[in-house]
Amino acid sequence: MTSVTSLAELDLKTVEEFLFHEARLLDEKKWQKWDGLFTTDGTYWMPASVDQPDPLNYVSLIYEDKLLRAVRIERFDNENAHSLQPIPRSVHLVSNVMIDAYDAVSGTCTVNSRFVVFEYRRDEQRIYGGAYIHDLIFDGTDFKIKQKRVNLVNCESALDNINVYL
Amino acid sequence: MSQANTIDIEPLLHKDEVHRKVYTDPDIFDLEMERLWHRTWIYVGHESQVKNPGDYFATTIGRQPVILVRHKDDKIHVLYNRCAHKGAQLVGDTSGCVKAFRCCYHGWRFDTDGALLTIPLEGGYDNTGFCRDNPDTNVKKVPRYDSYRGFVFASLSAKGPDLKTWLGGVASSIDNMVDRAPDGELEVTGGVLRYTHDSNWKFFVENLNDLMHAIVTHQSSSQTARIVAKRVMDEKDEVPWAVEIFSPFTNRYSFFEEMGLHAFEYGHSYSGGKVSIHSAYSDIPGYVEALESAYGKEKTLDIFSENRHNTVFYPSATIKGPIQTMRVVKPLAVDKTVIESWTFRLKGAPEAMTQRSILYCTLINSSANLVGPDDYESYHRLQYGLQSEANDWVSMHRHMDQEIVNADGTIEAEGTNDIVFRNQFKAWKQYMSAEDA
Ligand code: FES
Ligand SMILES: [Fe+2]
């Protein structure tokens, strides 16, 4: 990954590279490393409706803190997790990346992007599309994810199993 | 339907096993729609989804689109979602609020009780027989609808037992869920999750009180949650709700045996009773106090002395009273079923109670959750396994005839008895064999 020399110099390319790197970790099944991108209190959130105000008072498709991510990640390697046998494969495409907000003092930034994910398992390919909203913290060298929000374009529809992190 | 009507039901069922075709044959599915889903009481929605006059909620009964709506006199109606003119669906959305229904096609307008209001260029119907004194120009109400403590059910058949009689022994599961609200009322909250399954609806309905499956099917999520929690938590840390929710799925077999089963007429059942997998959740500050100040200590203890796992209102709905969630079954095809999950707020209880129910729903019922996909996988493998001609018969032999049949006809059994399945199929056969509604 490119390192950036100062907080003030945060540019789109650096942010993009981070998002591509994050997506690639998922595709390469490096889940522990991927989880390491989150802050200790970082959350992964896939709402069940696009305008959902919060994950506590409304049901979500996924709302996971560190503990729940650890459970999901360990299930990938658990032969008794029957729905993950065989382990699903994925390809994540990330695009249209824009920095919506950046505060050089605190290093917090909000990044908006679009994604397409292909999930493949047992002869079946599923395609998901939507928008990511990453709340990131940048310390001048590295990014950490405070929250990754996944707005699936069809999140309100009656969805079949989703077996991978989008 | 002609194909379906020639199906002989009798040979599909033995007292202890059922023919695989009941899960795989599209003609049997058609007959189920006609004779079971379009005749018995089906859950439509909750009164709190249509709080104010004009509020409506569009849903289905079997294959038929219907609208739950509150009229200006505050009465709730269930209407066929079909314009009286040429039959367009009157509302396309799942919910909303209207002064009157205006059809999207030729603009006929109907009141929220279905009565015709206006027809553009109405004179064109003069002397045709299809004018406003013909009742067919109103939107039809479904033959019967009624509600029990806020839960609205409807039947497309004019005949049959009334709702209270039909609910019988499982009405008390609704009572216990509602009584858990200090204000004595529930309210739908937090949105809905809709989960498509590529399998027959009966697998889902049977699974709810299949207490032999959780230890195996949910081993990977429940055990992993226990292990991860141990690894990352200090001993003095409070156990997170998520861990409390996951852990009991892998309680010992003896726990599930002791939970027990109760089965009733019309295919209803519940598991648990004095204890269930929902018994050991931690106290939420202020809740017990709120309940005690509403009902007194004794009644509060009484409410908590019941802890039921899943209650099945056969065939369309199932609730978990102690955690206030509901799953509604929508069969679409012989091998396609949508499960809707709803959460209820206990009016007068601390908000944290609702948040725990919301978390439960997210963790257990969403399409991307950590538990349901393994159930899904089992249903999927059943659907495909039963294509096999190795054996036409699907077993429900476990603890055959070990159940206790009480004088009033209600049935009790230990938790791993297959009585729930046998009881569902007994009702199924009665509905399926009756040619007239
Ligand atoms: S179909 Fe509704 S007005 Fe014609
Ligand atoms: Fe299960």
Side-chain angles (χ1 to χ4, degrees):
Chain A
M1 274 178 63
T2 326
S3 69
V4 177
T5 44
S6 88
L7 280 168
E9 273 179 51
L10 179 67
D11 65 297
L12 188 61
K13 179 132 186 36
T14 318
V15 173
E16 275 185 344
E17 274 184 24
F18 175 75
L19 296 193
F20 298 163
H21 169 67
E22 189 231 309
R24 184 168 168 180
L25 289 177
L26 286 173
D27 290 344
E28 293 179 353
K29 303 186 170 67
K30 293 175 180 156
W31 290 297
Q32 305 283 0
K33 266 201 171 152
W34 172 78
D35 187 51
L37 299 177
F38 285 80
T39 60
T40 330
D41 62 348
T43 51
Y44 177 98
W45 180 25
M46 183 151 60
S49 74
V50 167
D51 299 323
Q52 192 173 314
D54 73 73
L56 301 179
N57 298 293
Y58 298 85
V59 290
S60 301
L61 292 164
I62 302 183
Y63 178 59
E64 287 180 355
D65 58 6
K66 197 162 193 56
L67 182 127
L68 286 169
R69 284 197 303 279
V71 176
R72 187 181 293 270
I73 286 168
E74 295 202 8
R75 271 170 47 83
F76 284 118
D77 294 323
N78 187 324
E79 60 177 15
N80 291 316
H82 307 116
S83 59
L84 298 172
Q85 303 295 324
I87 297 185
R89 252 179 248 160
S90 70
V91 165
H92 290 64
L93 301 179
V94 184
S95 171
N96 306 22
V97 181
M98 297 180 90
I99 301 171
D100 277 359
Y102 175 55
D103 174 31
V105 180
S106 61
T108 57
C109 63
T110 305
V111 179
N112 196 302
S113 61
R114 300 291 179 266
F115 69 86
V116 174
V117 175
F118 296 85
E119 176 200 308
Y120 171 76
R121 178 178 169 255
R122 198 169 50 195
D123 276 344
E124 215 179 302
Q125 178 171 284
R126 291 180 189 159
I127 300 169
Y128 305 97
Y132 290 141
I133 298 158
H134 282 82
D135 288 325
L136 302 175
I137 297 176
F138 180 56
D139 66 5
T141 323
D142 275 326
F143 288 101
K144 287 276 180 208
I145 304 170
K146 182 107 174 81
Q147 182 167 81
K148 177 177 177 178
R149 175 172 174 151
V150 182
N151 276 341
L152 204 54
V153 68
N154 60 337
C155 59
E156 293 98 344
S157 71
L159 292 157
D160 211 297
N161 272 347
I162 302 173
N163 295 306
V164 292
Y165 278 117
L166 302 182
Chain B
M1 289 298 123
S2 55
Q3 188 91 29
N5 277 326
T6 63
I7 293 168
D8 194 358
I9 297 302
E10 190 62 36
L12 295 172
L13 281 171
H14 298 158
K15 67 185 186 11
D16 49 13
E17 54 189 9
V18 49
H19 198 283
R20 66 189 175 98
K21 275 208 300 205
V22 309
Y23 303 102
T24 60
D25 184 338
D27 292 330
I28 292 180
F29 179 83
D30 286 343
L31 196 65
E32 283 178 336
M33 290 297 104
E34 190 185 319
R35 292 190 177 172
L36 173 57
W37 289 78
H38 292 173
R39 283 181 188 172
T40 189
W41 289 98
I42 299 294
Y43 177 70
V44 174
H46 191 262
E47 286 178 4
S48 63
Q49 289 171 271
V50 289
K51 264 194 203 114
N52 302 305
D55 284 354
Y56 70 86
F57 169 67
T59 181
T60 52
I61 296 177
R63 282 182 166 142
Q64 307 204 24
V66 298
I67 313 169
L68 175 73
V69 59
R70 191 182 290 265
H71 191 50
K72 45 179 161 303
D73 62 3
D74 229 32
K75 270 217 185 80
I76 287 177
H77 295 286
V78 183
L79 309 176
Y80 286 102
N81 189 359
R82 181 214 187 271
C83 176
H85 176 219
K86 287 186 84 166
Q89 264 187 306
L90 211 46
V91 292
D93 301 323
T94 52
S95 60
C97 183
V98 289
K99 281 218 159 54
F101 294 116
R102 178 170 177 260
C103 180
C104 68
Y105 202 13
H106 310 96
W108 288 35
R109 284 173 68 254
F110 304 92
D111 211 339
T112 44
D113 63 353
L116 173 66
L117 292 173
T118 57
I119 301 175
L121 300 180
E122 187 170 347
Y125 289 96
D126 287 353
N127 309 316
T128 64
F130 200 61
C131 33
R132 64 175 59 236
D133 47 7
N134 180 340
D136 282 347
T137 58
N138 297 320
V139 173
K140 283 222 164 56
K141 296 180 173 118
V142 310
R144 290 188 299 158
Y145 42 91
D146 197 358
S147 98
Y148 184 74
R149 301 196 70 177
F151 293 80
V152 183
F153 290 77
S155 166
L156 299 185
S157 164
K159 289 190 240 161
D162 61 43
L163 178 63
K164 188 77 205 289
T165 308
W166 176 82
L167 284 170
V170 285
S172 58
S173 291
I174 294 179
D175 291 335
N176 187 256
M177 177 149 131
V178 180
D179 289 348
R180 283 167 183 263
D183 294 353
E185 250 183 82
L186 300 174
E187 180 180 54
V188 165
T189 191
V192 57
L193 291 167
R194 295 163 66 232
Y195 188 174
T196 301
H197 290 63
D198 62 354
S199 49
N200 189 266
W201 65 272
K202 293 188 290 304
F203 292 135
F204 178 84
V205 174
E206 287 173 38
N207 178 67
L208 294 162
N209 287 326
D210 179 333
L211 303 189
M212 285 298 291
H213 90 282
I215 296 178
V216 179
T217 306
H218 305 305
Q219 183 184 341
S220 65
S221 26
S222 177
Q223 251 176 24
T224 307
R226 290 180 196 232
I227 293 165
V228 169
K230 228 187 218 143
R231 193 174 67 220
V232 303
M233 282 169 40
D234 277 340
E235 226 154 76
K236 51 190 185 310
D237 285 352
E238 250 176 64
V239 180
W241 287 346
V243 176
E244 285 187 345
I245 288 169
F246 285 137
S247 296
F249 283 94
T250 44
N251 282 353
R252 288 186 310 278
Y253 277 118
S254 57
F255 176 86
F256 289 100
E257 290 275 34
E258 282 155 25
M259 260 173 66
L261 293 168
H262 297 257
F264 305 90
E265 213 184 340
Y266 306 113
H268 308 318
S269 63
Y270 68 83
S271 56
K274 297 301 150 208
V275 287
S276 83
I277 65 166
H278 309 299
S279 297
Y281 298 157
S282 52
D283 285 341
I284 283 176
Y287 174 52
V288 177
E289 293 82 336
L291 214 55
E292 280 177 352
S293 73
Y295 297 121
K297 270 201 159 52
E298 203 176 320
K299 166 104 199 248
T300 300
L301 274 177
D302 199 46
I303 292 166
F304 289 139
S305 73
E306 267 313 303
N307 199 298
R308 298 180 185 177
H309 173 41
N310 288 308
T311 296
V312 174
F313 308 92
Y314 188 76
S316 70
T318 160
I319 59 169
K320 284 177 180 291
I323 191 74
Q324 299 94 46
T325 60
M326 176 170 212
R327 282 174 287 177
V328 179
V329 183
K330 300 280 178 191
L332 301 184
V334 70
D335 57 358
K336 194 168 182 189
T337 308
V338 168
I339 305 300
E340 288 180 359
S341 299
W342 299 89
T343 310
F344 292 86
R345 184 171 82 84
L346 299 172
K347 286 195 178 175
E351 278 314 294
M353 288 294 290
T354 314
Q355 294 186 346
R356 180 161 64 189
S357 299
I358 294 275
L359 177 72
Y360 188 94
C361 222
T362 296
L363 287 179
I364 310 292
N365 298 342
S366 98
S367 299
N369 79 72
L370 292 166
V371 171
D374 292 326
D375 288 314
Y376 176 113
E377 180 69 15
S378 298
Y379 312 148
H380 172 91
R381 293 193 196 182
L382 284 165
Q383 195 73 40
Y384 288 87
L386 292 181
Q387 301 297 326
S388 159
E389 291 171 356
N391 180 355
D392 276 340
W393 295 94
V394 181
S395 165
M396 34 185 201
H397 292 84
R398 217 183 138 73
H399 290 307
M400 183 75 200
D401 296 329
Q402 301 296 298
E403 55 274 10
I404 300 160
V405 182
N406 298 316
D408 62 358
T410 62
I411 298 171
E412 290 170 49
E414 64 188 311
T416 67
N417 192 312
D418 282 349
I419 180 61
V420 165
F421 319 142
R422 295 193 292 268
N423 187 59
Q424 285 178 1
F425 275 108
K426 188 178 153 207
W428 185 88
K429 186 178 173 184
Q430 274 162 6
Y431 286 112
M432 293 290 279
S433 308
E435 286 186 17
D436 299 326

